Amino acid sequence: MSNQDNPATTNDREESMSQVTGSQASNTKDRNANSRPISSHSLADVANARLSKVGTPNISSTGLEARGIHAWFGSKHVLEDISLDFFTGTVTALIGPSGCGKSTFIRILNRMHEFIPTAALAGQVILDGKDVYDSGVDVTKIRLKVGMVFQKPNPFPSMTIKENVLSGLKLAQLKIENADELLESCLRRAGLWDEVKDRLNEYGGALSGGQQQRLCIARSLAVNPQVLLMDEPCSALDPGSTLRIEETIRELSATMSIVIVTHNMQQAARVSDYTGFFLSDGGPGRLIESGSTNDIFTNPKEKRTEDYVSGRFG
Amino acid sequence: MSQTQFAVKPARPWKLTIRSLIPDILGALFTVFGSLAIVAVTPLKGKLGFALVLITLAIITATTVSWLRKDRKAAMNSRTTVLVYIAAAFVIIPLTSILYEVVRLGTAGFSLRIFTEDMSVTASETDLSEGGLLHAVIGTAYIVFFATVLSTPIGVLTALYIVEVKGRFAGLVRFFVQAMSGVPSIVAGLFIFAFWMIQMGNAYSGIAGAFALTVLMIPTVARTSEEVLKLIPQDLREAGLALGATQWRTVATVVIPAAKSGLVTAIILGIARVVGETAPLLVTIGGADAVNLNPLDGNMSAFPMYVWKNLLIGSPNAISRAWLGLFVLMVLVLIFFAMARYFSSARRRSA
Ligand SMILES: Nc1ncnc2c1ncn2[C@@H]1O[C@H](COP(=O)(O)OP(=O)(O)OP(=O)(O)O)[C@@H](O)[C@H]1O
Ligand SMILES: [Mg+2]
């Protein structure tokens, strides 16, 4: 579960070794010495490698900020007091076991939460200094700035590939000068251009699952969001498409803030600058720990975080 | 390597061969001849007797053959298969015999001339080489057209209110739509008669008939549209909304196009529901023998009206005219539905 390449082996080894050595950090070093295949680097290595490659992100501005978020479905309290900053130009990964409220949390960030009839909310989501839940805020403008990619690829079935990419303009009633240029740049940024440039007038449903997901990413890019929320965008995809999307995320993160929910620890380590760990112990989900991805995976402060990222529970 | 590749041919190994079909064919022959024999030697007589014997024998034979060749499970499977085929036959036989009768009796007086003449100068009793049903074609076209134009927006908007808006009264509206679909058609006709004609003082006209049919058509269109809209995945709506669209915009650009062919079906079913209605037209359009090009004023004819009138007259030629009317209505409806299907499912080649 935590390792895409060979989950069972890595987890087993990690567990058995940490039982012997009693420490996460030391077993990481042991394993490096053992010249293991590159594909199964430990999470800490992966996070480190990313850090050295991209350098410390510039945390100049807080694009989006959640303050004291609580959420309910009916009388069920599912999120408790979540505060988290998302910096422009960075990728934040949200991890945690199933049902701990990650999806609920990111849906709160672009006000999709309110479509569930029983849903309730407390707290603030600050975007550009203003609470998106203030009365008088135009919800559609918020959703334009905070785009979303869903877990299941959902291209619009009645539209061609081209129309799908440009659908945001039509839906939000935006005017644009050069649609073809935008089309190409969105598809290029989503890493799909080469595969579809000759079939732009085919229907979106004719693409493979991975291509459909990249089409959905291209679609959300067309309205030029400041923040992109991705809820397990790779959960239905093969490793190749997953890597392709991770590359896309990395490229996109230069210009926007990306929040990605994932169950794949390797993925979180590979793509994110910051990580937030959610956990629910039967009650509402809480943000147990958040910080730079490197810290979360190399020396987490909380025992529960360490257990989770090392695959010992969850 | 390449040689073997050339030798490979596409095949269908799962297809039944003649050999493996022999027991089934023998069983079928046994059933047919066995039934004939039984009908010949026992007091069971006539078509009905033959059908009864055939059904019983078919079930017994199929079960036995399968049991002997395979096992009990296969026998149960064969028995159910035979029962399903028999049930299908019960549906198909009456339907085809109706079609057959309509075609046999309806084509008798058919010529293209009937689309250019009405009955204003011809008596129903005269030979079918005279007169036509242009007045019925025009009447039905007007009435169904206006009924569709009126009930489609109302029906689809009602469905949108129930499924998309999910307003406070959605349950109530849904209940009324269901209740409305149970209204007997004559009641719809009498409603328009009492309200539009008596109360408001209007005379017989095509539009009054269209109003009556609208009352009948709305519930069909609304309920079918509702089912169709419910089938559109919630994902798509959320995707639309997440791109910064208003709800109305999402419905118009995502939901309705995705449901388009289903909505066309809803409209077709609505038309099918009303196109043959006679009772509500009897009290609203008045009937006519001449072409009336004004749907807003004056007596109007329509196919059901034409058929009904000729049947009442009852002379052989009049009854032939009634069959002719049925036949032409059937063919026109078929052509219309085929066209609607074709255009609603034809996907655009370029965008
Ligand atoms: N529409 C809903 N109505 C009622 N309860 C809900 C609804 N959606 C989610 N919940 C509850 O809220 C809690 C959090 O759900 P959520 O979908 O946010 O979890 P998650 O962390 O995204 O899980 P996963 O990793 O499986 O996607 C769960 O206990 C779930 O049962
Ligand atoms: Mg989820």
Side-chain angles (χ1 to χ4, degrees), chain B residues 10-221:
Chain B
R12 294 196 175 80
W14 54 88
K15 256 193 137 175
L16 295 172
T17 60
I18 306 281
R19 256 177 81 94
S20 65
L21 279 175
I22 286 176
D24 296 299
I25 294 169
L26 288 180
L29 288 177
F30 170 77
T31 311
V32 173
F33 288 113
S35 314
L36 286 174
I38 292 175
V39 171
V41 300
T42 61
L44 277 167
K45 288 283 170 285
K47 282 180 199 156
L48 196 62
F50 180 72
L52 270 178
V53 174
L54 189 72
I55 290 169
T56 323
L57 209 58
I59 295 173
I60 295 172
T61 320
T63 315
T64 328
V65 169
S66 298
W67 202 320
L68 292 179
R69 289 181 65 207
K70 291 178 192 145
D71 55 6
R72 194 168 157 274
K73 262 196 284 184
M76 294 304 137
N77 186 37
S78 304
R79 188 199 54 192
T80 317
T81 311
V82 170
L83 281 175
V84 169
Y85 274 107
I86 291 170
F90 267 108
V91 177
I92 290 169
I93 290 173
L95 212 62
T96 42
S97 61
I98 291 175
L99 275 178
Y100 172 75
E101 286 293 282
V102 171
V103 171
R104 187 171 67 90
L105 297 167
T107 43
F110 185 81
S111 74
L112 286 180
R113 195 206 71 253
I114 58 173
F115 292 111
T116 57
E117 288 180 20
D118 59 18
M119 297 295 285
S120 52
V121 291
T122 318
S124 292
E125 291 83 353
T126 39
D127 191 77
L128 265 68
S129 58
E130 280 174 52
L133 36 72
L134 180 62
H135 57 307
V137 176
I138 288 176
T140 288
Y142 271 144
I143 294 166
V144 172
F145 173 77
F146 284 113
T148 309
V149 166
L150 290 172
S151 61
T152 301
I154 300 177
V156 173
L157 286 174
T158 308
L160 285 176
Y161 179 75
I162 295 172
V163 181
E164 301 295 332
V165 182
K166 294 197 199 76
R168 186 179 311 176
F169 304 108
L172 193 70
V173 170
R174 205 160 174 277
F175 171 77
F176 273 114
V177 168
Q178 273 178 356
M180 230 172 120
S181 63
V183 168
S185 58
I186 182 73
V187 173
L190 287 173
F191 167 67
I192 298 301
F193 181 74
F195 182 72
W196 171 256
M197 297 170 71
I198 301 213
Q199 199 113 326
M200 299 181 61
N202 293 293
Y204 286 132
S205 70
I207 200 78
F211 287 153
L213 295 193
T214 303
V215 175
L216 294 171
M217 201 169 152
I218 287 172
T220 312
V221 175

Side-chain angles (χ1 to χ4, degrees), chain A residues 88-258:
Chain A
T88 308
T90 68
V91 181
T92 306
L94 304 181
I95 58 172
S98 188
C100 64
K102 307 177 296 293
S103 299
T104 309
F105 180 66
I106 71 166
R107 286 169 60 90
I108 287 170
L109 298 179
N110 71 339
R111 293 192 59 171
M112 297 297 283
H113 184 57
E114 62 209 53
F115 289 120
I116 292 157
T118 58
L121 174 86
Q124 291 179 307
V125 177
I126 312 290
L127 179 69
D128 300 334
K130 269 186 281 174
D131 185 359
V132 303
Y133 284 96
D134 266 349
S135 60
V137 168
D138 183 351
V139 197
T140 59
K141 294 229 172 69
I142 299 298
R143 299 202 188 104
L144 267 181
K145 289 184 190 166
V146 186
M148 185 160 201
V149 175
F150 296 78
Q151 175 169 0
K152 236 177 72 197
N154 52 6
F156 298 130
S158 58
M159 300 184 193
T160 62
I161 292 173
K162 177 179 171 179
E163 288 169 320
N164 257 291
V165 175
L166 300 176
S167 61
L169 304 172
K170 203 169 154 197
L171 280 161
Q173 290 164 283
L174 303 176
K175 293 251 155 43
I176 176 143
E177 305 271 291
N178 199 337
D180 285 333
E181 219 165 75
L182 180 72
L183 173 72
E184 180 172 345
S185 86
C186 289
L187 282 170
R188 275 195 193 285
R189 287 204 287 163
L192 191 61
W193 174 252
D194 291 327
E195 285 158 77
V196 302
K197 62 172 182 281
D198 301 322
R199 43 197 293 210
L200 293 172
N201 291 325
E202 276 176 40
Y203 283 86
L207 297 174
S208 80
Q211 292 171 330
Q212 287 187 16
Q213 190 65 304
R214 277 178 277 147
L215 178 62
C216 293
I217 294 177
R219 178 176 71 185
S220 48
L221 295 179
V223 293
N224 196 18
Q226 277 170 252
V227 181
L228 190 59
L229 309 172
M230 306 176 107
D231 193 352
E232 301 179 42
C234 303
S235 67
L237 305 186
D238 71 299
S241 308
T242 304
L243 286 178
R244 202 72 204 71
I245 289 181
E246 285 177 10
E247 264 168 45
T248 307
I249 292 173
R250 231 166 280 147
E251 282 156 23
L252 295 176
S253 67
T255 52
M256 56 178 75
S257 161
I258 294 181

Side-chain angles (χ1 to χ4, degrees), chain A residues 59-71:
Chain A
I59 51 168
S60 52
S61 65
T62 305
L64 184 68
E65 187 183 345
R67 283 191 198 155
I69 294 288
H70 293 250

Side-chain angles (χ1 to χ4, degrees), chain B residues 325-336:
Chain B
L326 278 180
F327 173 70
V328 173
L329 176 63
M330 224 172 65
V331 171
L332 289 181
V333 167
L334 186 75
I335 292 173
F336 176 76

